[in-house]
Amino acid sequence: MTVNRLLRMIAGFFILLSVVLAHLHSPYWLFFTAFVGLNLFQSAFTDWCPMMTILRKLGVKE
């Protein structure tokens, strides 16, 4: 699996998880949803995301 595919999978998981937690626990979890969304938005322009750096250091192929 490549960095980009794994990044999309992790972002999707975090968004789904935070929406479920907002529904079950506290609406403040939606701030995490917004954080992930904003990171995806800025990465479209900069081609950089903090998770990409982590995945590369873990040895995930490009």
Side-chain angles (χ1 to χ4, degrees), residues 2-15 32 35-36 39-40 42-43 46-62:
T2 64
V3 170
N4 285 328
R5 287 184 144 205
L6 199 53
L7 175 68
R8 288 187 188 113
M9 184 177 73
I10 291 169
F13 173 75
F14 280 165
I15 289 173
F32 185 65
F35 171 76
V36 173
N39 251 334
L40 288 170
Q42 71 82 23
S43 73
T46 63
D47 198 32
W48 180 82
C49 178
M51 183 58 75
M52 290 176 81
T53 304
I54 294 169
L55 292 173
R56 286 181 182 130
K57 286 186 179 185
L58 290 173
V60 178
K61 65 181 179 178
E62 292 290 326

Side-chain angles (χ1 to χ4, degrees), residues 11-26:
F13 173 75
F14 280 165
I15 289 173
L16 289 174
L17 178 66
S18 62
V19 168
V20 168
L21 287 170
H23 179 72
L24 296 176
H25 185 261
S26 170

